[in-house]
Amino acid sequence: VEINALWYNALRLLEGWVRTARGGPATQLSALADQCRQSFHERFWNKDAGCLYDVVDVNGEAGRVDDAIRPNQLFSVSLSHAVLAEERWKPVGDVVERELLTPVGLRSLSRGHPDYKPTYHGDLKTRDAAYHQGTVWSWLIGPFIDAWLRVHPGDKVGARSKLSGLVAHLDDACVGSVSEVFDAEAPFTPRGCCAQAWGVAELLRVLAKTA
């Protein structure tokens, strides 16, 4: 789902650049972006769950979908050119907030999924098996805040309240920095790299955005 969201965003950006520089060829890019957006809504919307499928045509099997609830779908709302229709932003945001949001970032998989792993621990094989199956990623708070502000424009106080756990974490683990990942359940023990660049960068970015 995130690949399609990024592709649509890229098409719209390229369309704008070409239109500014050359004019004519932008029409073709606009038509391609429109087609991408229409197909996205036809294929990825999971009306039963009120959010987006993670994968369609799984393993090349036409019509087979993966309905795992993951944070990847946020990019359909958070990017500068959102592929998802505006009336669907709130349902997706609500599902992500309910199922994935923690005080220190977003779970990589919802707790109700059979592959969910509540902790990130053990040997390399065990850790790798949990890395994308529930483990919380700190940097994903950035796209979450971007999407949340799209749904709740102007509510910087509400958005900033979502950052309190990560701000408190600055006094934990590697003091003054942000850990790469955390366990998916309380007490959300810091794991992985203790000073992760993209975790630091996204927290700083959204703190400035909600100031």
Side-chain angles (χ1 to χ4, degrees):
V1 65
E2 76 280 8
I3 298 300
N4 283 271
L6 288 163
W7 172 238
Y8 176 80
N9 189 63
L11 287 172
R12 288 301 186 196
L13 288 171
L14 185 57
E15 175 195 350
W17 297 332
V18 170
R19 193 179 301 280
T20 299
R22 300 181 181 180
T27 302
Q28 184 178 359
L29 288 166
S30 179
L32 185 58
D34 288 342
Q35 181 182 359
C36 173
R37 194 168 194 260
Q38 180 180 344
S39 296
F40 183 89
H41 283 87
E42 291 173 354
R43 302 299 308 284
F44 279 96
W45 184 247
N46 180 351
K47 63 180 181 180
D48 293 331
C51 62
L52 297 170
Y53 291 119
D54 189 49
V55 183
V56 298
D57 297 341
V58 177
N59 295 328
E61 186 178 329
R64 182 183 170 195
V65 295
D66 181 353
D67 62 359
I69 296 175
R70 296 185 183 275
N72 311 46
Q73 62 187 299
L74 275 178
F75 293 101
S76 69
V77 180
S78 67
L79 292 170
S80 56
H81 297 278
V83 66
L84 190 64
E86 186 173 351
E87 63 269 18
R88 291 177 173 172
W89 292 353
K90 189 176 187 304
V92 165
D94 288 346
V95 169
V96 170
E97 183 169 3
R98 182 181 70 246
E99 300 290 338
L100 305 177
L101 181 65
T102 77
V104 288
L106 299 185
R107 295 183 181 93
S108 47
L109 181 65
S110 63
R111 287 178 286 183
H113 196 281
D115 293 334
Y116 175 73
K117 303 291 190 299
T119 58
Y120 179 82
H121 71 283
D123 59 19
L124 179 60
K125 184 177 180 180
T126 304
R127 295 197 312 274
D128 282 351
Y131 205 41
H132 297 286
Q133 304 289 54
T135 297
V136 172
W137 289 66
S138 58
W139 78 270
L140 287 172
I141 199 64
F144 175 81
I145 293 297
D146 291 336
W148 198 90
L149 284 171
R150 282 244 166 119
V151 176
H152 307 277
D155 186 6
K156 292 185 177 182
V157 173
R160 200 174 182 87
S161 70
K162 314 294 185 185
L163 305 175
S164 59
L166 278 171
V167 171
H169 170 65
L170 294 174
D171 291 328
D172 189 17
C174 184
V175 175
S177 196
V178 177
S179 296
E180 176 186 7
V181 295
F182 299 80
D183 284 347
E185 299 291 341
F188 305 106
T189 302
R191 306 286 189 182
C193 175
C194 66
Q196 188 67 34
W198 55 71
V200 173
E202 283 298 272
L203 178 58
L204 288 174
R205 182 179 69 83
V206 292
L207 280 171
K209 187 171 185 174
T210 58

